[in-house]
Amino acid sequence: MRHFGINIFAMGIALAIGSPAAAEPVDPVTNASQLEAAIVESHRALEAILNGDPSLYLALFAERDDITLGNPFGPFGQGRAAVAATLANAANKYQRGTARVERVALYGDADFVCLVEIEHDRAQLTGSDEYSEFSVRVTSIYERLGGAWKLVHRHADPITTARSAQSVIGK
């Protein structure tokens, strides 16, 4: 099991990532700025999903068959085709959306990063003129592949407040 360690400074977040065991030399400053750029792109992709477009999010995922995506609308999608279908299913539910994202935690090394966020979304559900506001907790796993940070896993669900044990037991 890897130990993840980082330094984060509030607002504008500076991130120092390094691993002496990395397979190739990694400049921590460049690596951190590339990671932050990938995270910013994921926030743009979120707004695209909330406006009916899944393509930006799919482009963030690694091009391989062991990637995974879980969202509140069904079981995990595993593999590129299933992730694409899961993203499309989510995008079909929204229009005219915006998002604000709150970072909770970021753990990682030079090759893997776990990002924990809460997304605060506002959108119209497809077919509705009314706006809905909702929040989801999100865990994203990024891997540095070929010098670029790519998503290999994302999980979002609407559990953002405490719940009783009974709430998770089927009826």
Side-chain angles (χ1 to χ4, degrees), residues 66-122:
D66 64 345
I67 59 174
T68 51
L69 172 64
N71 67 26
F73 307 116
F76 281 102
Q78 183 173 6
R80 189 115 180 124
V83 166
T86 301
L87 287 167
N89 180 49
N92 285 334
K93 298 183 182 333
Y94 303 115
Q95 59 192 11
R96 294 188 245 332
T98 59
R100 180 179 59 81
V101 181
E102 171 188 347
R103 185 174 293 185
V104 175
L106 182 64
Y107 311 95
D109 65 15
D111 295 313
F112 286 95
V113 170
C114 174
L115 174 64
V116 180
E117 298 174 307
I118 298 175
E119 297 173 355
H120 304 279
D121 305 319
R122 183 175 190 270

Side-chain angles (χ1 to χ4, degrees), residues 6-17 32-43 100-107 113-120 136-138 140 142:
I6 61 168
N7 295 320
I8 300 176
F9 301 100
M11 305 310 279
I13 302 164
L15 172 65
I17 299 176
S33 66
Q34 290 171 341
L35 174 61
E36 285 301 325
I39 293 168
V40 167
E41 280 302 307
S42 76
H43 299 162
R100 180 179 59 81
V101 181
E102 171 188 347
R103 185 174 293 185
V104 175
L106 182 64
Y107 311 95
V113 170
C114 174
L115 174 64
V116 180
E117 298 174 307
I118 298 175
E119 297 173 355
H120 304 279
V136 293
R137 66 180 181 177
V138 180
S140 300
Y142 290 85

Side-chain angles (χ1 to χ4, degrees), residues 93-97 122-126 128-132:
K93 298 183 182 333
Y94 303 115
Q95 59 192 11
R96 294 188 245 332
R122 183 175 190 270
Q124 290 177 332
L125 300 180
T126 302
S128 174
D129 293 330
E130 300 291 319
Y131 279 90
S132 296

Side-chain angles (χ1 to χ4, degrees), residues 1 6 27 29 52-53 55-56 59 87 89 93 107 126 131 135 138-139 164-165:
M1 185 77 153
I6 61 168
D27 173 34
V29 173
D53 178 6
S55 65
L56 296 180
L87 287 167
N89 180 49
K93 298 183 182 333
Y107 311 95
T126 302
Y131 279 90
S135 296
V138 180
T139 302
S164 68

